[in-house]
Amino acid sequence: MKRISAYSISLLLILISNFKQVKAQDTIVFPLKIKVGFEVSGPAIYYSDKKNLNSEGYISADFNEKVSIVIGGGYLNYNYSQYNYQYLNKGVFARAGADFNLLKPEKALGKYWAGIGLRYSVSHFSSEVPSFQKDNYWGTATSSVVQKTDWGHFLEVSPGVRAEVFRNFSIGWTISLRMLLYSSTGNDLRPIYFPGFGKGADKFNSGISYFIVWNIPYKKIKVIIEKEVPEEPEDTSQPGNIQQTNVNRP
Amino acid sequence: MRKLFQGSLIIFLSGLVLIFLSCTPLSCIGETESYVKASLYDKVLKKLHSPDSLTMYGLNMETSKLYDKTLNVQPAHIPLNASATYCTYIIRIDGLTDTLKFWYNSYPHLISKECGYTYYHTLDSLTFTNHLIDTVLIRNKRVTTINEENIRIFY
């Protein structure tokens, strides 16, 4: 009986030690971060043309190693003119949603992000057409559209990449694919361009944003990673071979 | 460190490619004029019937003809004067002359960023003389750039 107990305890200890060893190998420490991002191409373009200012930013917090909660917003002052009209739009927008990192935690390590973001956005803006003209058979008709305030609601899917280039600083870009859900402008005087969405004449729109991001680590979590188990090679040997193998054994 | 640099470089260069792709300017494509689309019908057979000769011009604009003895017009495209609430056309079909007067409202409509704005119209009513024209029916009051029939002229 004593021998059986000793044997059982030994077996249990071996199993526990092996289990602990496996767990230690399959977890990594993953830093969760609060990220503050600024879009850089808008101010850069404004610096060069002194015409249209589009500035935006966001704050996100890692919920876990895969998902971040994001809120953001921005401002647009847009001025466009061509031979037959002039257009002004000024306003703000807000976004809320989530980012999903498609990289494995052992690859991402809290420094790299390649994934997809989903956002719901609301834009509030005032637009005006100070002058436009139209030529036809009867001559040139000139008119204007007075300033009016409108709302726009849209959904956004934004795949992209980010990488930490210095300690706690990342750069990256996202492609934004937007779908207009509602605009209070009506069909005839759709906005040429409005904050957060871009070209308002289309129901679907796309854009590119370039971000500089400040990362603030706030918590570390242990993430269990799934180790890839190498597949066992298939047994391709023929019955004749087995016989041969058996023959060669001592 | 080298791996990090390579990764960042790839991100930066791929972003540059996207910048160039996103900055391609577009040109104005598509119809930018709003016309009253007028189908011409045989008053007896009630079927589409193109005139052998159609001449059409605005009142006091004889020197600038919309159609000048044009063959097989179907439908006729008639522009309205956006600076007024009515306009009158002289219409001559197979040598007989009538007048056609449109009453309407005009409002601006955005075509696209590239094309800018045009005027759409809502037809209120129209009057006409009866030298050759028998009847004119309004089928669709909204006069837009879309190719939809607005009126039918029976002659």
Side-chain angles (χ1 to χ4, degrees), chain B residues 34-41 48-51 54 56 66-67 72-80 89 91 93 100 102 123 126 133 135-140 142-144 146-155:
Chain B
S34 302
Y35 297 106
V36 175
K37 268 73 77 179
S39 303
L40 298 154
Y41 275 73
L48 281 171
H49 181 67
S50 304
L54 175 70
M56 202 166 179
L66 203 58
Y67 295 100
N72 299 321
V73 174
Q74 194 68 270
H77 287 75
I78 308 168
L80 301 178
Y89 275 96
I91 180 167
I93 300 173
L100 198 55
F102 296 92
L123 289 176
L126 57 87
I133 294 174
T135 316
V136 180
L137 294 178
I138 297 177
R139 299 281 295 172
N140 177 9
R142 268 174 64 85
V143 180
T144 68
I146 300 166
N147 191 20
E148 288 176 339
E149 180 189 57
N150 294 110
I151 62 170
R152 286 183 180 179
I153 299 174
F154 292 87
Y155 68 97

Side-chain angles (χ1 to χ4, degrees), chain B residues 19-62:
Chain B
I19 284 180
F20 288 117
L21 287 175
S22 66
C23 292
T24 311
L26 300 171
S27 56
C28 175
I29 300 166
E31 183 58 77
T32 61
E33 298 291 336
S34 302
Y35 297 106
V36 175
K37 268 73 77 179
S39 303
L40 298 154
Y41 275 73
D42 185 301
K43 68 179 177 187
V44 180
L45 299 173
K46 310 287 184 194
K47 284 185 175 177
L48 281 171
H49 181 67
S50 304
D52 293 335
S53 167
L54 175 70
T55 299
M56 202 166 179
Y57 53 89
L59 186 65
N60 303 322
M61 293 180 71
E62 197 166 353

Side-chain angles (χ1 to χ4, degrees), chain A residues 82 85 112 137 173 188 210, chain B residues 4 15 19 64 109-110 113:
Chain A
Q82 63 177 41
Y85 77 95
Y112 303 103
Y137 174 76
W173 50 261
D188 289 308
Y210 302 86
Chain B
L4 180 71
I19 284 180
S64 174
H109 174 89
L110 174 73
K113 181 188 175 188

Side-chain angles (χ1 to χ4, degrees), chain A residues 12-74:
Chain A
L12 191 66
L13 285 171
I14 289 165
L15 279 173
I16 289 169
S17 64
N18 278 347
F19 182 68
K20 273 188 174 174
Q21 200 176 2
V22 169
K23 286 286 277 185
Q25 283 177 344
D26 291 344
T27 58
I28 57 165
V29 175
F30 193 96
L32 298 183
K33 296 175 177 178
I34 291 170
K35 296 161 194 157
V36 183
F38 298 98
E39 209 281 330
V40 292
S41 70
I45 291 167
Y46 178 71
Y47 183 76
S48 66
D49 73 0
K50 298 280 186 293
K51 205 173 171 187
N52 300 316
L53 175 61
N54 181 31
S55 58
E56 66 176 279
Y58 69 84
I59 298 174
S60 77
D62 291 339
F63 184 70
N64 56 34
E65 76 280 8
K66 289 281 183 191
V67 182
S68 306
I69 306 300
V70 186
I71 56 166

Side-chain angles (χ1 to χ4, degrees), chain A residues 100-115:
Chain A
F100 301 90
N101 197 348
L102 301 178
L103 292 177
K104 290 178 177 175
E106 65 269 29
K107 303 278 184 193
L109 298 168
K111 294 179 178 178
Y112 303 103
W113 185 89

